[in-house]
Amino acid sequence: MPAWLVTMSDRYASRTGLSTLELMRLSALHHTTVGELGEAGILDLLSASYQGLTSGDGVIGPGDDAAVIPAPGGHFVIATDAMNEGHHFLRTWPSGITDNGYSTGWKLAAQNLSDMNAMGAVTSSVSVSLAMPTTTPAAWVFHFGRGIANACRWLGASQTVISGGDLTRAETIATAITATANLIGQPVLRKAAEDVAGFHLIHTGNAGMSHAGYVVASQGTHNQLRRDELQALRLFLRPRPPLDQGPKVAGVVSAMMDVSDSILTDADRLAAANNLHAHIDPAWVARTAAHLQPLADRYDADASQWVLTGGEDYGLLAILNPEHDLPAGWEIIGQLTSQPQERPATTGWDHF
């Protein structure tokens, strides 16, 4: 691997920034395509971007036919998520906001780490698949890899090993991660092991913020954004799943899942898994929407709809016995009931 690429990767991961020479070298990647690099060159580039997260005790990482990741407890959790250009992400948004690949990598990692979190597990590895046109800038690939690596570090999953993956050619960029995780105790499932009628529905996360950011990316003007718009935009492009919470409440809550498609959609899924319905407290919706409404007013929108039907926040929903104390950092947002609840025609994100 070229020495300058290793140095560039080290400096990029730090908060001190890049030197002028390193910036010049990174700039050169913008004029180089992955077709010009070839598979070996792309792998070198990704290895540099993943630096520091490809090895560990007992790990056989990238470079062999398959990776080996220890599972100390004898059981592990596994999940896969995919993101496709034009459907899940854009390189340039209608607002003029451009993603150099970093946010795509970050979000891909975040949504997989969130799935592990919802099971009460700690992520052990991610394996990355990347399909792209030969005209894709090499710099996009480097930033994409850094987004994955830095999401693992800064979201609190620095123990994660980037174990390898797959490269192939495609007409548009398509990527996927398969993640594994180690259980802290028993897995926390959507279906509870007890009758949970009347139990609290509790939540931790940033309900509505990601959808607010999506509206900004789609309808805003990139050089005229206010502070609250930038905050929402950051949480849309680079979600912050609360990774410390899943393992912390495992064994306390009766059931749990992450919020990927919306509060309404995912609360209904959690309730349905227990043959019940989800009542969402209107007072909680009003409180949560209140701080988003000034931003929503600029886009002629209703912030309460962002809270209820907006997806990709990657918070957590759980079922809590009313006799138990509410865990720190969580809110009671409703309860499970046997009574059907009124719902809008569209309750959240649907891939199809």
Side-chain angles (χ1 to χ4, degrees), residues 115-273:
D115 285 337
M116 303 296 102
N117 194 32
M119 299 294 288
V122 175
T123 307
S124 55
S125 75
V126 294
S127 179
V128 186
S129 172
L130 180 59
M132 56 191 160
T134 57
T135 54
T136 305
W140 191 95
V141 177
F142 179 80
H143 289 302
F144 169 78
R146 289 312 302 161
I148 293 173
N150 283 343
C152 292
R153 287 191 181 98
W154 296 343
L155 291 175
S158 59
Q159 76 288 337
T160 303
V161 172
I162 301 177
S163 59
D166 183 55
L167 290 174
T168 190
R169 183 188 302 185
E171 296 302 313
T172 58
I173 297 176
T175 184
I177 275 183
T178 297
T180 64
N182 295 316
L183 290 168
I184 299 302
Q186 293 298 311
V188 187
L189 307 179
R190 296 185 186 187
K191 182 172 177 56
E194 59 189 319
D195 179 7
V196 292
F199 278 30
H200 291 318
L201 187 63
I202 64 174
H203 172 264
T204 184
N206 300 297
M209 287 295 290
S210 181
H211 191 78
Y214 169 75
V215 171
V216 173
S218 302
Q219 302 177 27
T221 302
H222 75 284
N223 58 358
Q224 298 178 10
L225 300 181
R226 302 184 190 184
R227 180 174 297 180
D228 58 349
E229 292 171 299
L230 290 170
Q231 180 186 19
L233 184 65
R234 281 193 294 270
L235 288 173
F236 167 60
L237 294 175
R238 302 175 190 176
R240 304 296 199 272
L243 299 186
D244 60 325
Q245 292 294 333
K248 185 178 79 172
V249 302
V252 176
V253 299
S254 300
M256 185 163 58
M257 66 180 292
D258 77 332
V259 185
S260 56
D261 294 332
S262 78
I263 289 288
L264 283 184
T265 296
D266 293 322
D268 283 348
R269 286 172 177 159
L270 189 58

